Amino acid sequence: MNCMRRLCIILGWVPVLLLADAKPDPKPTAVPRAAKAPVIDGRLDDPCWRQAARIQVRHPHDPKQAAPAVPAMTARVTWDTDYLYLAYDVTDTHLVALGTGRATGPAQNRRPQAVEYAPEKNLDLVEFFVALDSHRFFWEIHHNAANHLNTLWIELPTAAQLAKIPKPGYRHIKFHRDRHLPDVGPRTLQRATQLKPKTDGTPSTPNQSNDRDTGYTGELRLPWRGLAPDRKTTPAAGTILSLLAVQLNGVQGRAIYHSSGDGLPNLMYHYSAAHWPTFQLTD
């Protein structure tokens, strides 16, 4: 079950512009090229992360909820010829990271899957939505403190189809769960997390309710050829992408979402793809 399903608002209509391939933000955030690729170990100590674009995840999905004084998550993004690199730092006093017991991905790079939604278990999750050439087709990525990973290829209805749907929602989105973000030759997806130390110096401990955690950090290395399967050329300097970072924090049986998108419609994040923050690759 998709993690946003239970948050879907019962809609009477959805403006067509939500699915339109809107013009890029006139001032997208610059994403510097990494002079040296980071080591994917979950530690954000590589030089490239100091120059990377910063993303503050602090905008509540619930319009009645106030933005936190401290961002729920800070993410970073950089790139090189072969990969898009994502890193993040989550602050959380009670980590819950659950796996499905299944794995996906290519035979030589299997990835244990993350549970996507379980408010009754106070589930925590990091999500990235990445769109390169279309706001109808994009990747939805889930990562948790236990290094479980999901990569879902998303397909939204066309504007014409959407106009005929009285109440669009979860069931109108195609989640291509049989399609994972692939490795491409020697260019492989890599993932890692690192648990932050508690006050006594020991690592935070997910899924233990009798202690107080501090959070975790994570890194993802995503092959461009996998992210943009229909492109004839690899993204280069000047390329603009839409990227939304999201953090799910389960608290007392509630699923609390924050994102990097300011002023997004109060819908499932998928339906506001044309309004996600934009980024431009730079040398």
Side-chain angles (χ1 to χ4, degrees), residues 49-170:
W49 295 129
R50 291 196 288 271
Q51 283 76 44
R54 299 286 182 110
I55 303 172
Q56 297 294 313
V57 179
R58 64 183 310 144
H59 303 290
H61 182 77
D62 183 350
K64 297 179 182 179
Q65 182 181 347
V70 177
M73 178 174 83
T74 299
R76 310 179 199 187
V77 55
T78 187
W79 71 287
D80 62 21
T81 302
D82 297 320
Y83 299 102
L84 176 69
Y85 301 97
L86 300 173
Y88 61 88
D89 185 327
V90 168
T91 298
D92 193 337
T93 57
H94 181 202
L95 289 173
V96 177
L98 304 176
T100 65
R102 300 184 296 274
T104 188
Q108 302 303 316
N109 191 8
R110 301 291 283 172
R111 309 147 195 169
Q113 291 181 330
V115 172
E116 301 172 11
Y117 189 85
E120 70 283 0
K121 296 181 179 179
N122 295 325
L123 184 75
D124 303 313
L125 197 70
V126 165
E127 303 177 38
F128 291 100
F129 296 82
V130 184
L132 268 159
D133 299 308
S134 171
H135 294 128
R136 279 194 60 219
F137 301 92
F138 49 83
W139 289 100
E140 178 180 349
I141 298 166
H142 310 145
H143 199 208
N144 68 17
N147 204 23
H148 301 138
L149 181 75
N150 303 336
T151 58
L152 307 177
W153 181 247
I154 303 300
E155 178 181 352
L156 298 180
T158 64
Q161 291 170 334
L162 190 62
K164 299 177 181 178
I165 302 173
K167 295 181 179 180
Y170 174 86

Side-chain angles (χ1 to χ4, degrees), residues 10-31:
I10 302 301
L11 306 176
W13 61 284
V14 174
V16 171
L17 64 86
L18 290 176
L19 295 183
D21 282 338
K23 294 181 180 179
D25 188 324
K27 293 183 180 180
T29 300
V31 180

Side-chain angles (χ1 to χ4, degrees), residues 155-204:
E155 178 181 352
L156 298 180
T158 64
Q161 291 170 334
L162 190 62
K164 299 177 181 178
I165 302 173
K167 295 181 179 180
Y170 174 86
R171 65 189 179 91
H172 301 110
I173 301 172
K174 291 183 180 179
F175 297 89
H176 293 276
R177 298 180 182 279
D178 57 343
R179 179 176 178 178
H180 55 264
L181 203 160
D183 295 338
V184 184
R187 299 169 182 85
T188 60
L189 184 152
Q190 286 192 5
R191 60 195 164 79
T193 56
Q194 191 71 222
L195 296 167
K196 294 161 69 172
K198 296 183 288 189
T199 55
D200 63 2
T202 62
S204 292

